[in-house]
Amino acid sequence: YEWRDRGIDAGLFSRALMTGASEYAKKKVQENRFVTSKDLFRAAAKYARDSGLQGSSTLCIFGLIPYEGFHQMKDEAQLNNNAMKIKKWGERKLYPTHFYGNETVNDILSSMLTKIDNSEVMVGQVTNLGDSGILIGRPSTGKILFRTPQQEHDFGFPYQLGHEGIADGVDDAEVYLISNIIEGDVIIVGSDGLFDNLSDVEILKHASDLNKKSTQQISIQLTNAAFEKSIDKKADTPYSNAATEEFNIIYKGGKKDDIACVVSRVSKNN
């Protein structure tokens, strides 16, 4: 969509999505209600649609499932008695369409009753549409725990929400549950301008500076690094590698595109 050529500011549509998600989340917090990433995604899409704004956008929403309630069932006997309740609750409220690995709802939610390196385990939930995405990593070990795959109709044509009838819908989004997230892990959400120009390994390497820098500083650092790659005509980038494979030619260089990046670090609420 070349919205600019049609006099449309697609940024207004993107901001409407975020406003809708934010207002819905605040409302549910006040009601003390549990909310899933799919709930937020649906609310965001509805708000943008009802606003009457024109444009289109990818959308990626992440949330951590609180673990405190599950830790009341640490006792092995209680776990056996409540395993089915965990499974039914997960299937009803989280309704994932995809799992990372071969785990089931029961496997993932039951993992919250264990510890990794003496840290409580949390579960992440992701709802994603298009080629924006999320990377979850553990800087202490350099391990990448999860990375959303890109959703594209064809090379360079991502799935998107939008005002036109040909746009994709909420039910086209992919939903994931990710287990074994612990304190100190990093959650990096970004647009394709980030992931097309920096590899997952490069992104996580920048995040290893979190012991010395704030999440905002790392976000700016990542954005600048992606921009430098995007204007480097000789760089090896995820985009150049994908283009080489797609068109069967040797392609070099980054991809000039909008770059957005939000960095979070998992920590205890004191």
Side-chain angles (χ1 to χ4, degrees):
Y1 301 111
E2 296 294 338
W3 296 124
R4 186 182 303 174
D5 297 339
R6 295 167 55 179
I8 296 172
D9 183 356
L12 296 177
F13 187 87
S14 298
R15 285 190 282 275
L17 288 171
M18 291 295 92
T19 299
S22 176
E23 291 188 357
Y24 184 84
K26 291 176 182 176
K27 177 183 176 182
K28 293 304 175 181
V29 167
Q30 291 173 350
E31 296 173 354
N32 197 28
R33 297 285 297 276
F34 177 79
V35 61
T36 69
S37 61
K38 186 68 175 285
D39 293 332
L40 288 169
F41 192 100
R42 194 178 301 277
K46 183 179 185 304
Y47 185 94
R49 182 176 64 250
D50 293 347
S51 71
L53 291 167
Q54 295 182 320
S56 62
S57 177
T58 60
L59 181 60
C60 181
I61 293 181
F62 170 83
L64 273 179
I65 299 175
Y67 54 77
E68 289 85 355
F70 291 97
H71 281 266
Q72 296 174 5
M73 297 184 286
K74 279 184 178 179
D75 181 83
E76 191 64 30
Q78 283 186 299
L79 173 59
N80 291 333
N81 291 335
N82 286 281
M84 186 57 65
K85 290 182 180 179
I86 294 174
K87 183 175 185 292
K88 288 181 178 179
W89 179 85
E91 289 176 340
R92 184 178 72 252
K93 280 298 296 179
L94 303 176
Y95 40 82
T97 56
H98 297 78
F99 296 96
Y100 195 57
N102 297 316
E103 297 171 301
T104 65
V105 167
N106 197 29
D107 293 333
I108 290 175
L109 297 182
S110 295
S111 73
M112 297 171 73
L113 303 174
T114 63
K115 287 191 175 185
I116 296 177
D117 296 334
N118 207 34
S119 295
E120 285 90 353
V121 171
M122 287 161 275
V123 172
Q125 46 172 330
V126 177
T127 301
N128 183 61
L129 180 77
D131 56 1
S132 293
I134 183 168
L135 182 150
I136 303 174
R138 187 162 297 155
S140 61
T141 63
K143 182 179 180 181
I144 295 170
L145 304 177
F146 175 77
R147 167 77 153 80
T148 48
Q150 291 187 334
Q151 274 186 300
E152 292 184 318
H153 294 285
D154 202 350
F155 187 81
F157 293 93
Y159 283 48
Q160 290 186 320
L161 297 171
H163 75 279
E164 293 189 327
I166 61 172
D168 303 293
V170 172
D171 291 333
D172 293 311
E174 294 183 333
V175 184
Y176 297 88
L177 289 180
I178 307 98
S179 62
N180 297 326
I181 298 173
I182 61 174
E183 185 178 11
D185 289 347
V186 294
I187 317 295
I188 300 171
V189 185
S191 66
D192 59 330
L194 176 72
F195 293 111
D196 279 343
N197 290 297
L198 296 178
S199 69
D200 295 350
V201 173
E202 288 175 309
I203 291 172
L204 189 57
K205 187 175 180 180
H206 281 281
S208 65
D209 291 338
L210 271 173
N211 289 330
K212 306 172 185 176
K213 301 178 181 178
S214 68
T215 53
Q216 184 178 20
Q217 288 174 318
I218 297 298
S219 179
I220 294 172
Q221 184 173 305
L222 281 167
T223 303
N224 289 337
F227 175 74
E228 291 300 323
K229 279 288 190 75
S230 74
I231 59 176
D232 186 344
K233 296 181 179 180
K234 297 182 179 180
D236 283 321
T237 63
Y239 179 79
S240 69
N241 293 333
T244 296
E245 182 175 345
E246 177 71 18
F247 301 113
N248 197 27
I249 60 173
I250 298 177
Y251 187 92
K252 293 289 185 180
K255 180 188 177 187
K256 294 181 180 179
D257 207 339
D258 296 331
I259 303 170
C261 176
V262 177
V263 178
S264 299
R265 184 176 185 271
V266 179
S267 59
K268 290 183 178 179
N269 185 357
N270 296 321

